[in-house]
């Protein structure tokens, strides 16, 4: 028996150790419904970064694979998708762009002790405040976009009289206005001379336009906090009424796909994380656009693809520094990131905030129906947490 055990031990020693299993990323994203238009490009961007990491030797010496489950733009299905991906062995979960539709899956990841990243959610609840300590977002808060527009327009276009027009459809819109409301009155000589609301599906904003035209003088800027299709309808009516104020908005109206609804539009300005138009001053950003076209057959339709690439890049860096996939350890490394370089500018996280409350933004202006980068702007101070949490 002694000789048999020795022979068996020698035989076992001769068998190569099994390679560690691949790392699995779970995508709980909308493959159908209105969220698909946001989730699909950002998920494709994340997979481009996965392919790059794999081509460079993988993560922790292991290759990354991915699995996905369709949330169908449905909250209940999002929860099911999260549980399904955990059953399929996900080590980290990427969830829908919107907080409401991504949170159920992210909560499943949180309960399992793993990291989750919202593809491009811009509400502070998509993180610590709404999901838990291991949840993050790959995008820039809506309030930062509004604050950027306030400070940029004051400095670059001498805006002193601002009017706020809020589309009450989703929290994102409220976040844009929240940032503008915080920043603009702080600026020298600046005041908000009026405000109004409308609903995204309103056929007419004639009464709101009448109130703007009844002001003593036309506002220098109108902070339009809205998304398509309501934003396009509002802009068309504002210009048709002869109001020439500069119209500001957030990143959600990026892209030229809606401009046929407002022919020859000028004086419309928005902040974005990077330009899809081939004029981004950073070579890395345009290199991504080219890689995206190679992978998908078309350039990004909007800058909402970019956060998917960013989140995968940041998470992978944190994993390498932590030396493990364990959620809390990776979170600790993410929270140490302070002005961490990415292809689209620096990013930071902290134990209090898993979002960007300050970030460099490319400023896009639409002139004669053509969008183009005109400058870059980073707000002078971060948007405070109490402002982000106000409702």
């Amino acid at each position: 028996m002694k000789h048999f055990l020795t022979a068996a031990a020698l035989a076992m020693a001769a068998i190569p150790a099994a390679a560690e299993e691949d790392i699995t990323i779970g995508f709980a994203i909308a493959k159908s419904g209105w969220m698909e238009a946001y989730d699909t490009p950002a998920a494709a961007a994340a997979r481009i970064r996965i392919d790059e990491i794999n081509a460079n030797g993988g993560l922790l010496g292991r290759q990354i694979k991915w699995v996905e489950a369709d949330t169908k733009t449905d909250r209940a299905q999002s929860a099911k998708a999260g549980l399904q991906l955990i059953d399929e062995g996900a080590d980290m979960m990427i969830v829908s762009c919107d907080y409401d539709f991504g949170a159920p899956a992210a909560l499943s990841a949180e309960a399992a002790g793993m990291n989750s990243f919202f593809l491009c959610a811009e509400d502070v609840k998509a993180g610590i405040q709404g999901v838990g300590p291991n949840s993050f977002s790959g995008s820039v808060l809506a309030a930062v976009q509004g604050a950027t527009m306030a400070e940029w327009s004051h400095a670059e276009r001498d805006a002193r009289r601002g009017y706020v027009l809020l589309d009450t459809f989703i929290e994102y819109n409220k976040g844009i206005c929240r940032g503008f409301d915080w920043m603009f009155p702080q600026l020298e000589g600046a005041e908000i001379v009026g405000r109004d609301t409308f609903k995204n599906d309103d056929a007419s904003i004639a009464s709101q336009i009448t109130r703007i035209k009844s002001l003593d003088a036309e506002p220098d800027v109108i902070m339009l906090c809205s998304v398509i299709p309501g934003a396009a309808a509002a802009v068309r009516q504002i210009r048709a009424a002869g109001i020439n104020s500069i119209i500001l908005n957030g990143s959600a109206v990026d892209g030229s796909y809606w401009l046929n609804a407002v022919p020859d539009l000028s004086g419309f300005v928005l902040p974005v994380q990077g330009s899809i138009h081939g004029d981004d001053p950073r070579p890395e950003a345009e290199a991504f656009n080219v890689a995206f076209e190679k992978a998908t057959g078309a350039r990004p339709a909007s800058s909402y693809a970019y956060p998917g690439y960013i989140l995968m890049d940041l998470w992978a860096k944190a994993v390498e520094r932590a030396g493990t996939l364990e959620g809390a350890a990776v979170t600790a490394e993410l929270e140490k990131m302070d002005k961490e370089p990415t292809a689209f500018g620096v990013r930071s996280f902290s134990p209090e905030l898993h979002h960007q409350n300050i970030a460099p933004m490319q400023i896009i202006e639409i002139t004669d129906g053509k969008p183009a980068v005109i400058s870059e702007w980073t707000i002078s101070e971060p948007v405070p947490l109490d402002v982000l949490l106000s409702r």
Side-chain angles (χ1 to χ4, degrees):
M1 179 64 73
K2 180 178 178 181
H3 294 295
F4 173 77
L5 289 174
T6 302
L10 289 171
M12 289 296 291
I15 299 174
E20 284 192 89
E21 293 183 356
D22 292 340
I23 293 170
T24 302
I25 306 298
F27 286 83
I29 59 172
K31 302 290 288 181
S32 53
W34 68 269
M35 279 300 303
E36 186 274 336
Y38 292 91
D39 287 3
T40 293
R47 291 165 187 163
I48 288 171
R49 185 65 190 127
I50 288 172
D51 289 344
E52 290 174 350
I53 292 168
N54 284 338
N56 285 306
L59 183 60
L60 300 179
R62 299 157 64 183
Q63 292 289 286
I64 304 173
K65 69 177 184 179
W66 53 268
V67 293
E68 69 179 11
D70 186 3
T71 66
K72 301 179 181 178
T73 313
D74 179 84
R75 293 174 178 85
Q77 190 62 37
S78 174
K80 293 177 183 177
L83 293 172
Q84 175 187 327
L85 294 172
I86 291 170
D87 287 342
E88 292 181 17
D91 296 298
M92 187 272 265
M93 198 176 300
I94 293 174
V95 304
S96 278
C97 274
D98 181 75
Y99 167 72
D100 290 326
F101 293 96
L107 286 166
S108 298
E110 190 69 37
M114 71 173 67
N115 294 117
S116 66
F117 261 93
F118 287 79
L119 279 168
C120 54
E122 294 169 349
D123 185 319
V124 70
K125 294 192 298 297
I128 301 171
Q129 287 75 17
V131 176
N134 296 312
S135 185
F136 295 77
S137 176
S139 200
V140 175
L141 286 160
V144 175
Q145 299 167 30
T148 299
M149 287 290 84
E151 198 170 59
W152 173 85
S153 64
H154 180 270
E156 298 296 318
R157 298 297 168 87
D158 296 321
R160 298 297 183 269
R161 292 167 50 83
Y163 194 94
V164 176
L165 185 56
L166 168 64
D167 168 5
T168 58
F169 174 44
I170 53 175
E171 286 298 319
Y172 167 80
N173 298 342
K174 298 172 186 177
I176 303 171
C177 278
R178 192 175 299 120
F180 186 87
D181 286 342
W182 166 72
M183 177 64 83
F184 197 69
Q186 298 184 61
L187 305 172
E188 183 178 357
E191 63 174 328
I192 295 174
V193 298
R195 62 179 66 246
D196 215 330
T197 63
F198 70 104
K199 295 180 180 178
N200 194 267
D201 58 358
D202 283 347
S204 170
I205 60 165
S207 58
Q208 291 88 340
I209 287 173
T210 296
R211 287 188 282 273
I212 295 172
K213 291 178 74 72
S214 69
L215 294 170
D216 293 339
E218 191 173 87
D220 299 318
V221 292
I222 296 173
M223 184 69 249
L224 175 63
C225 307
S226 184
V227 295
I228 304 298
V235 170
R236 183 173 61 249
Q237 293 175 68
I238 289 168
R239 286 294 187 252
I243 297 172
N244 296 311
S245 307
I246 297 171
I247 303 175
L248 312 172
N249 209 327
S251 303
V253 294
D254 185 28
S256 56
Y257 61 94
W258 61 274
L259 292 177
N260 287 340
V262 193
D264 302 318
L265 175 64
S266 290
F268 187 95
V269 185
L270 64 147
V272 295
Q273 296 178 59
S275 174
I276 64 173
H277 305 295
D279 56 356
D280 196 298
R282 301 161 299 191
E284 302 91 340
E286 181 57 21
F288 170 82
N289 292 334
V290 172
F292 189 92
E293 182 174 18
K294 182 178 179 181
T296 68
R299 289 171 65 89
S302 85
S303 57
Y304 275 89
Y306 301 150
Y309 187 87
I310 293 168
L311 75 85
M312 197 64 231
D313 183 53
L314 295 176
W315 180 78
K317 287 178 180 177
V319 168
E320 288 285 4
R321 293 168 191 176
T324 177
L325 299 171
E326 196 271 322
V330 176
T331 289
E333 292 300 326
L334 284 163
E335 290 176 346
K336 294 176 186 176
M337 290 183 174
D338 181 23
K339 298 181 180 178
E340 186 76 27
T342 79
F344 300 96
V346 295
R347 296 291 184 266
S348 304
F349 297 115
S350 74
E352 292 75 38
L353 189 64
H354 290 177
H355 276 268
Q356 306 307 307
N357 63 347
I358 184 170
M361 305 295 285
Q362 301 300 310
I363 307 302
I364 300 278
E365 182 166 16
I366 297 170
T367 304
D368 296 328
K370 294 182 172 59
V373 173
I374 56 170
S375 64
E376 179 177 290
W377 196 268
T378 302
I379 52 176
S380 56
E381 59 179 304
V383 181
L385 189 58
D386 62 336
V387 173
L388 297 173
L389 293 172
S390 64
R391 288 291 181 264

